[in-house]
């Protein structure tokens, strides 16, 4: 069975550009599982019930949270004794290469080695977050997937052996430019790359320095600003809640309600009644 064959049973969605990522939910029957060579790196997270199997060298038991990395151009084949469910994240090598360059690391650090059945809480967390975003229809837009992709690339390139050098926060001018741009485009689909260009930094450096300056990740800051705008519109206008959501940059009314409950602890209806 080829990787193309597997795609027939996969729930596959391409991430909003320009993340350089793709996520698939793969459900395969018992039997031979094979991966053909692809130009992308593949990170496979076992997401279902335990599945015993065997390859040429040994027997194994996949359990939830087990990870495999198949580098670009690599192939693999093995046998599984039961149906299997996995999340497969595909990453363009150019994303790792760009990240290594931005971090000032040699190009060799962008090369992934093949690994099987290992654990990494951060990779698992990012893969699950990407899959949750896919299942929800990407309500958080490009900025969120950009941020997850950058975080995954930084983790893969840097590994756990390198301690990042201390970094300074954004300058006052950089912070003002970025926050003013966010406010002016709050109702649009903000992207990490656009904000990085405004600050004159790489995307990975913006993520780190923005959080150092504001105490919040870029995406979380944007969510807070959108919630604040929605709260103001609910209090000061008779605009329908569905329109308030769109004017504030949320994908729909339910998305606004979820974020408002998380940030403020109240629903849009409670905000409006309080006014």
């Amino acid at each position: 069975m080829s990787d193309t064959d597997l795609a027939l049973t996969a729930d596959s969605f391409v991430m909003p550009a320009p993340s350089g990522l793709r996520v698939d939910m793969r459900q395969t029957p018992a039997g031979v599982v094979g991966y053909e060579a692809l130009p992308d790196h593949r990170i496979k997270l076992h997401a279902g019930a335990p599945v015993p199997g065997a390859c040429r060298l040994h027997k194994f038991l996949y359990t939830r949270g087990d990870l495999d990395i198949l580098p670009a151009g690599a192939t693999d084949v093995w046998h599984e004794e039961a149906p299997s469910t996995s999340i497969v994240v595909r990453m363009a090598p150019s994303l790792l290469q760009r990240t290594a360059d931005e971090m000032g690391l040699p190009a060799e650090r962008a090369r992934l080695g093949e690994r099987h059945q290992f654990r990494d809480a951060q990779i698992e967390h990012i893969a699950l977050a990407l899959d949750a975003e896919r299942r929800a229809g990407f309500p958080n837009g490009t900025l969120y997937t950009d941020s997850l992709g950058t975080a995954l690339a930084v983790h893969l390139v840097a590994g756990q052996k390198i301690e990042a050098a201390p970094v300074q926060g954004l300058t006052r001018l950089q912070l003002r430019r970025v926050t003013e741009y966010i406010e002016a485009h709050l109702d649009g689909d903000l992207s990490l790359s656009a904000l990085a260009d405004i600050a004159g930094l790489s995307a990975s450096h913006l993520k780190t320095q923005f959080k150092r300056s504001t105490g919040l990740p870029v995406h979380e800051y944007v969510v807070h600003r959108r919630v604040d705008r929605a709260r103001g519109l609910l209090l000061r206008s008779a605009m329908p809640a569905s329109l308030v959501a769109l004017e504030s940059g949320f994908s729909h009314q339910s998305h606004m309600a979820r974020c408002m409950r998380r940030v403020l602890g109240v629903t849009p209806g409670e905000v409006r009644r309080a006014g």
Side-chain angles (χ1 to χ4, degrees):
M1 182 181 295
S2 70
D3 197 46
T4 303
D5 296 328
L6 286 180
L8 298 176
T9 62
D11 191 5
S12 174
F13 288 80
V14 178
M15 292 295 178
S19 63
L21 296 176
R22 167 175 164 164
V23 62
D24 304 319
M25 172 64 78
R26 297 193 181 278
Q27 296 175 314
T28 56
V32 176
V33 179
Y35 281 75
E36 290 184 342
L38 287 179
D40 294 336
H41 302 307
R42 280 163 288 187
I43 302 164
K44 173 181 170 290
L45 172 68
H46 189 78
V51 175
C55 64
R56 293 184 301 272
L57 300 178
H58 65 278
K59 294 183 178 181
F60 56 80
L61 177 67
Y62 272 122
T63 58
R64 188 183 298 272
D66 283 347
L67 288 158
D68 296 311
I69 290 181
L70 195 65
T75 63
D76 205 354
V77 63
W78 64 90
H79 183 275
E80 293 180 348
E81 297 178 12
S84 180
T85 299
S86 301
I87 297 166
V88 180
V89 178
R90 286 175 51 175
M91 172 180 285
S94 58
L95 178 56
L96 285 183
Q97 293 162 5
R98 185 170 64 249
T99 300
D101 183 61
E102 291 172 353
M103 296 174 69
L105 295 174
E108 291 77 14
R109 296 305 297 268
R111 298 173 187 163
L112 293 184
E114 188 168 341
R115 298 181 65 187
H116 293 285
Q117 238 182 330
F118 69 98
R119 293 278 176 153
D120 187 303
Q122 187 166 345
I123 294 177
E124 180 180 1
H125 174 77
I126 294 171
L128 290 173
L130 286 169
D131 185 60
E133 183 73 357
R134 172 195 65 79
R135 287 186 283 104
F138 303 108
N140 295 304
T142 303
L143 179 62
Y144 184 58
T145 52
D146 276 355
S147 298
L148 289 173
T150 300
L152 180 57
V154 168
H155 185 68
L156 290 170
V157 169
Q160 299 181 3
K161 297 179 181 179
I162 296 178
E163 295 185 5
V167 294
Q168 301 299 316
L170 298 172
T171 66
R172 290 185 181 181
L173 179 60
Q174 286 174 319
L175 183 60
R176 188 179 78 242
R177 285 176 174 172
V178 170
T179 54
E180 285 178 352
Y181 183 88
I182 289 173
E183 292 299 320
H185 299 83
L186 204 56
D187 59 347
D189 190 10
L190 292 162
S191 72
L192 192 64
S193 58
L195 297 179
D197 287 342
I198 294 296
L201 299 170
S202 68
S204 58
H205 287 167
L206 174 66
K207 278 170 57 71
T208 302
Q209 296 188 23
F210 187 91
K211 184 173 181 180
R212 190 178 181 90
S213 295
T214 65
L216 291 172
V218 182
H219 171 68
E220 193 64 21
Y221 176 87
V222 171
V223 169
H224 277 68
R225 295 305 306 137
R226 285 174 170 162
V227 165
D228 190 60
R229 176 177 289 188
R231 178 178 176 275
L233 289 173
L234 289 168
L235 289 173
R236 296 191 301 269
S237 75
M239 188 182 297
S242 57
L243 186 55
V244 168
L246 296 179
E247 288 290 324
S248 303
F250 296 105
S251 54
H252 45 70
Q253 186 175 338
S254 296
H255 184 208
M256 176 181 72
R258 288 198 303 272
C259 292
M260 191 166 284
R261 280 197 298 269
R262 178 165 60 83
V263 174
L264 300 180
V266 294
T267 65
E270 289 169 334
V271 169
R272 177 150 275 171
R273 288 192 292 272

